[in-house]
Amino acid sequence: MIQAIAFYLFAFVVILSGALTIASRNPVHSVMWLILAFFNAAGLMVLVGAEFIAMLLVIVYVGAVAVLFLFVVMMLDIDFAELRAGVARYAGIGLAVAVALAAEVMIAVGAWSAGKIDLTRRVAPVDPAMPNIQAIGTLLYTRYVFIFEAAGFVLLVAMIGAIVLTHRERSGSRFQNVARQNARRPQDATRNVQPPVGQGVQL
Amino acid sequence: MTSFFNTTVGLPYGWAWFIATIVGILAIALPLMLAVAMIIYADRKIWAAMALRRGPNVIGPFGLLQSFADGLKVFLQETIIPSAANKGLFLIAPIITFTVALIVWAVVPFQAGVVLADINVGLLYVLAASSLGVYGIILAGWASNSKYPFYSALRAAAQMVSYEVAIGFILISVVLWSGTFNLSGIVMAQKGVLNTPINGFFLNPLLFPMAIMFLISSLAETQRAPFDLTEAESELVAGYQTEYSSMSFALYWLGEYANVILMCVLNATLFWGGWLPPLDWAPLYAVPGIIWLFAKMMFFFFVFSWIKATVPRYRYDQLMRLGWKIFLPVSLFWVFLVSGVLMWMRVGFGS
């Protein structure tokens, strides 16, 4: 019973916070609702026994991606009137996407409940006694190792591309030369003098 | 404990589990709050001793009750909410910090088998929960609607995110060596490391640099000196806490010190043998494991205070350079090195 209560709690909060992500007027509040949605989705993952995915969801999305979102959104200077003016213009496209997604979910649920898909017959069988970190690791590094590495390369290329696109030489700015700073010693920078009374120090 | 409530008291299993879990949570959280109060006192005393001062010595014997007096003081103060603040987020932010600081303790093993949630992704849970800690600070800075807290929040967020990357890689080398993400498993893997009678990964020459880097990263992660740029009083007033008063301020203090104690415990657990005695020698196991863990935790807290009292504060660009240009590449290289050595030890060359 506690699983059912937890499931409905998490599912309700995911849907509610998803709706509020769209509905809230303040973009920072939107990001906060999005984070709550991620967090509760992680809770749902724990319930189905995928604790590794749940933890990764929290570490990657909540801990890193959403922080960057929040950073950007906080520093934006947002004109709320202008934002709301765009709603009517994009309503058509938004509605089309929503309908398409809803149709996909219905087709998937319909196909599943028609009973033609055997979810237990997997391409790569998994030993049920294995903890799921081990199971995922075994599959990723044996059967799917090339696809996994290809995914790594795609991400690497994307990262390099982002750096190349945004990188520009700045000529006017001054940089800290850390090696020079570390190499500096007190005896090079200071001088011990005992000036006679009434006379200053020659700099 | 579940079986005690189930069989001795005679409750159905569900209720027995529920009550046992609540009792377990209280048995961790309440002593933790007491520990936080005493550790603030210890911090001030150590800091004072290093500065040749006396530190708190008025309230109670040796000033032992100073933290409680401070707690009472903030509790009786008025909670001030700035009129320009975003009220909801302003009040939620300290609660997030405090809660996140407490939830990590669920997976910390205090002794053989004494752990609230013995989950197989324990270390990932620690990482996940500690990555949530940054929200309490960012939200405080933004919701205060005041410039110093905002600067401080940006600094804190950048700092915590960059050092988390290095911590992640450091933890991977520990996980590779011990072969499990479960914290109790990691402690047990440190028993008699490298066939010597010493317990703790620090003895392993491959993991010792990681132990040092983890100690430094944990200073940065908890924003202790020399990385306390978020609360640099000469630049940012009191940092993200500037607009907070009364209990909302106290929650930040409690959360911050609970995080510091947690990092001390994690240092002890991951590299210095956790609840195992320092030597793998039978008579030492007669002492309960929690005492060994506590002793190691106190030692690391002393190191934290020592550093706070003696090391000057970093410049911000130095902090970022240390995180991204030194710790990240070194720890990434170390993951390759450790996994290579383990392959060679367990599989051998060829094939």
Side-chain angles (χ1 to χ4, degrees):
Chain A
M1 190 188 67
I2 191 155
Q3 285 92 341
I5 294 173
F7 171 77
Y8 284 112
L9 178 73
F10 287 139
F12 175 72
V13 178
V14 168
I15 292 171
L16 183 77
S17 48
L20 284 169
T21 306
I22 306 167
S24 54
R25 297 191 168 170
N26 190 330
V28 174
H29 291 183
S30 280
V31 178
M32 291 316 294
W33 287 118
L34 183 67
I35 291 163
L36 193 63
F38 281 151
F39 201 68
N40 282 279
L44 288 176
M45 294 287 182
V46 172
L47 281 186
V48 296
E51 66 268 15
F52 180 65
I53 306 282
M55 292 304 153
L56 278 198
L57 191 68
V58 175
I59 293 172
V60 176
Y61 283 91
V62 179
V65 175
V67 172
L68 292 183
F69 269 26
L70 204 56
F71 247 60
V72 174
V73 166
M74 272 179 180
M75 288 192 274
L76 290 178
D77 185 23
I78 290 157
D79 186 1
F80 293 108
E82 198 181 320
L83 269 184
R84 246 168 285 153
V87 170
R89 238 178 83 200
Y90 297 112
I93 304 171
L95 210 64
V97 173
V99 168
L101 283 178
E104 278 176 5
V105 170
M106 278 174 193
I107 290 169
V109 171
W112 186 51
S113 56
K116 290 290 174 200
I117 304 166
D118 188 6
L119 287 178
T120 52
R121 219 189 71 227
R122 294 196 172 103
V123 181
V126 176
D127 178 11
M130 224 182 228
N132 63 39
I133 298 180
Q134 218 177 331
I136 289 174
T138 317
L139 275 185
L140 275 187
Y141 287 100
T142 54
R143 194 183 173 98
Y144 297 113
V145 65
F146 292 115
I147 302 173
F148 183 61
E149 299 207 332
F153 267 108
V154 170
L155 288 175
L156 184 68
V157 170
M159 190 179 81
I160 294 173
I163 294 171
V164 169
L165 286 178
T166 54
H167 183 75
R168 60 193 158 94
E169 286 293 331
R170 270 172 273 188
S171 53
S173 52
R174 295 163 60 172
F175 293 96
Q176 306 273 358
N177 186 343
V178 179
R180 236 184 89 206
Q181 287 173 1
N182 286 342
R184 202 164 154 91
R185 292 281 161 261
Q187 52 269 30
D188 307 330
T190 58
R191 188 157 51 100
N192 203 355
V193 288
Q194 283 183 319
V197 176
Q199 290 176 27
V201 177
Q202 204 72 41
L203 285 174
Chain B
M1 212 184 324
T2 310
S3 64
F4 167 77
F5 282 108
N6 198 358
T7 53
T8 318
V9 185
L11 287 166
Y13 182 79
W15 283 105
W17 173 83
F18 182 73
I19 293 174
T21 308
I22 296 284
V23 169
I25 291 171
L26 289 179
I28 293 173
L30 295 181
L32 181 65
M33 287 298 99
L34 187 68
V36 165
M38 293 325 289
I39 220 116
I40 292 175
Y41 166 78
D43 199 18
R44 293 174 68 177
K45 271 289 192 194
I46 294 168
W47 203 12
M50 299 221 178
L52 299 180
R53 290 182 288 115
R54 288 200 177 168
N57 62 350
V58 175
I59 300 164
F62 309 106
L64 274 170
L65 299 177
Q66 179 68 45
S67 297
F68 299 100
D70 287 342
L72 193 64
K73 183 194 74 182
V74 291
F75 192 67
L76 295 174
Q77 278 174 339
E78 182 193 354
T79 307
I80 299 167
I81 301 172
S83 57
N86 192 317
K87 198 172 172 189
L89 290 181
F90 185 81
L91 289 177
I92 286 175
I95 299 174
I96 293 178
T97 301
F98 183 68
T99 316
V100 165
L102 287 188
I103 59 171
V104 191
W105 286 89
V107 294
V108 173
F110 295 99
Q111 207 172 321
V114 181
V115 47
L116 184 64
D118 200 13
I119 53 178
N120 64 358
V121 286
L123 206 52
L124 285 176
Y125 176 83
V126 170
L127 263 184
S130 72
S131 68
L132 287 178
V134 68
Y135 285 107
I137 294 173
I138 301 191
L139 284 182
W142 184 79
S144 298
N145 204 355
S146 164
K147 58 172 165 301
Y148 292 124
F150 190 62
Y151 286 147
S152 161
L154 293 184
R155 280 185 179 189
Q159 178 176 341
M160 290 174 84
V161 170
S162 15
Y163 278 85
E164 233 151 56
V165 182
I167 286 186
F169 283 124
I170 293 169
L171 296 187
I172 286 177
S173 14
V174 175
V175 167
L176 281 173
W177 207 278
S178 50
T180 172
F181 274 96
N182 183 308
L183 283 171
S184 308
I186 291 174
V187 172
M188 286 319 289
Q190 298 179 40
K191 200 169 173 179
V193 84
L194 296 179
N195 301 324
T196 53
I198 295 171
N199 294 329
F201 275 148
F202 69 94
L203 196 72
N204 186 331
L206 269 179
L207 289 178
F208 181 72
M210 292 294 104
I212 303 295
M213 277 170 62
F214 188 72
L215 180 66
I216 299 172
S217 301
S218 54
L219 285 172
E221 188 70 11
T222 50
Q223 285 138 35
R224 289 280 294 193
F227 306 115
D228 57 344
L229 283 129
T230 54
E231 290 155 43
E233 60 281 344
S234 52
E235 306 161 22
L236 293 174
V237 196
Y240 56 89
Q241 311 162 340
T242 306
E243 305 291 341
Y244 282 88
S245 57
S246 179
M247 272 318 274
S248 51
F249 175 76
L251 285 182
Y252 273 116
W253 264 84
L254 291 174
E256 207 171 280
Y257 273 91
N259 265 333
V260 170
I261 304 179
L262 177 82
M263 277 300 174
C264 296
V265 168
L266 279 185
N267 266 299
T269 305
L270 294 175
F271 292 101
W272 303 81
W275 39 261
L276 293 171
L279 290 176
D280 194 15
W281 182 48
L284 287 178
Y285 286 94
V287 179
I290 192 163
I291 291 179
W292 290 118
L293 183 69
F294 198 72
K296 289 172 185 175
M297 185 200 93
M298 289 312 291
F299 171 74
F300 279 105
F301 187 75
F302 177 74
V303 173
F304 271 45
S305 292
W306 188 3
I307 292 171
K308 182 177 177 176
T310 47
V311 181
R313 187 178 286 140
Y314 261 52
R315 218 170 50 206
Y316 201 73
D317 67 296
Q318 290 172 331
L319 173 83
M320 284 292 140
R321 176 174 170 272
L322 186 68
W324 288 108
K325 292 190 178 170
I326 300 175
F327 277 13
L328 179 62
V330 170
S331 55
L332 188 56
F333 171 72
W334 227 262
V335 171
F336 283 101
L337 190 68
V338 167
S339 39
V341 169
L342 284 174
M343 279 297 273
W344 171 64
M345 277 167 56
R346 289 176 191 169
V347 184
F349 289 116
S351 74

